[in-house]
């Protein structure tokens, strides 16, 4: 049977560290590791392979380079989506996030730089986050005329509480590593130098335990934190995300990002 480590990916790198620690690296540095459809498809294949591979006990998920973990969903690709395509795009992100959240082994998000929009959302779908001192989190979607579409509306609230999630999502404000630690978004903040090695050391502690017991604990905690209830909520989120595609503010917000200027939004409209 072919191993997931033998597969070749365009935008991902997979490495195996002993004992049983898979390092999954988002490798699209020209777009600061932004998530386009092709990358989401590759992530789905890689995560399904890692879930099934009996040699893998823990997954460490990180971004290539020092600048970004994931700078969000790909704005260039989303710019001209129709509402229907918007729903499908959000759902493909949800599928990846659900694989991270429910696969039968722990996934540690090693956030090495910008984790914005879909980047914060993918990190939140992992079991927990370890941040480099250079990490920057945020949900800047409302500044693009959209909302978080990969589960952020719910997983952020679950991590930091509803009032804090509301403030962060309504303002799009960025959160640096020390604040992320203070509000409970991340478990540890580590020096940028030697960051990935240090996260792998954390993973080693988990990999040394009973994999079956760890897996059972994970599945209970995921069910306990209402994954089933979450399914209904993220479905509603995907449809709301889709409804904003094609709106004046979405075209204006993403157009402004691409043209490197400030957006000029309409007032409150019925979308
Ligand atoms: N999508 C597509 N391309 C992106 C990107 C994204 N999310 N983020 C960065 N890039 C690209 C830039 O367009 C740029 O490409 P060019 O060199 O071809 O112009 C390249 O990556 C480098 O980016 P910058 O020049 O902007 O780098 P910077 O250091 O000046 O700024 C940054 C870094 C603050 C992360 C900035 O790139 C930024 O604000 N990126 C967008 C972040 C964002 O809004 N993310 C949310 C996306 S929406 C979303 O994720 C929806 C969802 O929930 C599903």
């Amino acid at each position: 049977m072919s191993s997931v480590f033998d597969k070749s990916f365009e935008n991902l790198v997979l490495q195996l560290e002993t004992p049983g620690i898979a390092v999954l690296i988002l490798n699209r540095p020209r777009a600061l590791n932004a998530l386009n459809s092709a990358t989401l498809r590759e992530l789905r294949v890689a995560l399904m392979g890692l879930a099934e591979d009996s040699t893998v006990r823990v997954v460490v998920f990180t971004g290539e380079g020092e600048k970004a973990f994931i700078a969000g969903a790909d704005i260039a690709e989303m710019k001209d989506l129709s509402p229907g395509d918007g729903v499908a795009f959000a759902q493909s992100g949800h599928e990846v996030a659900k694989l991270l959240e429910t696969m039968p082994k722990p996934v540690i998000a090693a956030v090495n730089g910008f984790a914005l929009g879909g980047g914060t959302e993918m990190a939140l779908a992992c079991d927990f986050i370890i941040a480099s001192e250079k990490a920057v989190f945020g949900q800047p979607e409302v500044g693009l005329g959209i909302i978080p579409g990969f589960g952020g509306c719910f997983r952020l609230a679950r991590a930091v509480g509803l009032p804090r999630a509301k403030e962060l999502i309504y303002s799009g404000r960025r959160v640096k590593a020390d604040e992320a630690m203070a509000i409970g978004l991340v478990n540890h903040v580590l020096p940028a130098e030697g960051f990935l090695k240090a996260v792998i050391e954390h993973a080693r502690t988990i990999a040394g335990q009973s994999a079956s017991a760890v897996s059972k604990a994970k599945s209970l905690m995921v069910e306990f934190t209402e994954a089933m209830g979450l399914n209904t909520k993220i479905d509603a989120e995907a449809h709301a995300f889709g409804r904003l595609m094609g709106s004046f503010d979405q075209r204006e917000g993403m157009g402004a990002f691409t043209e490197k200027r400030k957006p000029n939004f309409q007032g409150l409209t019925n979308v």
Side-chain angles (χ1 to χ4, degrees), residues 28-32 34 67 71-76 78 89 114 116-119 121 139-141 144 146-150 174 241 254 257 260:
R28 220 184 145 224
R30 68 183 181 283
L32 299 186
K67 196 161 171 189
D74 191 303
I75 299 171
M78 285 186 296
F89 186 71
F114 285 112
L116 298 177
E121 293 173 290
Q139 299 287 166
E141 287 88 349
L144 294 165
I146 55 167
I147 56 169
F150 291 171
R174 291 186 196 157
F241 180 86
M254 295 194 183
F257 177 80
K260 302 187 190 293

Side-chain angles (χ1 to χ4, degrees), residues 28 70 134 188 200-201 223 225 227 231 245 263:
R28 220 184 145 224
I70 297 171
K134 290 196 176 157
H188 304 279
I200 290 170
E201 281 313 309
E223 276 172 48
T225 52
N231 285 343
M245 287 297 168

Side-chain angles (χ1 to χ4, degrees), residues 62-218:
T62 194
E64 178 58 36
E66 288 203 348
K67 196 161 171 189
F69 170 66
I70 297 171
D74 191 303
I75 299 171
E77 180 175 331
M78 285 186 296
K79 204 166 157 288
D80 299 315
L81 291 186
S82 67
D85 291 342
V87 177
F89 186 71
Q91 285 170 337
S92 66
H94 285 150
E95 241 184 279
V96 170
K98 297 268 339 228
L99 282 167
L100 291 166
E101 188 167 60
T102 60
M103 69 190 289
K105 40 197 89 169
V107 185
I108 304 174
V111 175
N112 49 311
F114 285 112
L116 298 177
T120 286
E121 293 173 290
M122 287 302 166
L124 282 165
C126 297
D127 287 82
F128 57 88
I129 304 172
I130 300 182
S132 134
E133 61 196 351
K134 290 196 176 157
V136 179
F137 299 85
Q139 299 287 166
E141 287 88 349
V142 294
L144 294 165
I146 55 167
I147 56 169
F150 291 171
C153 295
F154 309 110
R155 290 195 183 93
L156 184 61
R158 194 168 74 186
V160 304
L162 193 54
R164 278 206 177 97
K166 283 176 168 173
E167 185 222 319
L168 293 177
I169 289 174
Y170 298 166
S171 66
R173 182 168 75 75
R174 291 186 196 157
V175 169
K176 291 190 179 157
D178 52 351
E179 185 184 353
M181 182 74 200
I183 63 176
L185 180 55
V186 309
N187 285 20
H188 304 279
V189 178
L190 303 178
E193 176 131 9
F195 174 64
L196 185 57
K197 256 182 145 182
V199 178
I200 290 170
E201 281 313 309
H202 275 266
R204 261 189 237 291
T205 312
I206 298 173
Q209 314 299 322
S210 155
S212 308
V214 168
S215 177
K216 183 59 81 189
K218 173 167 178 168

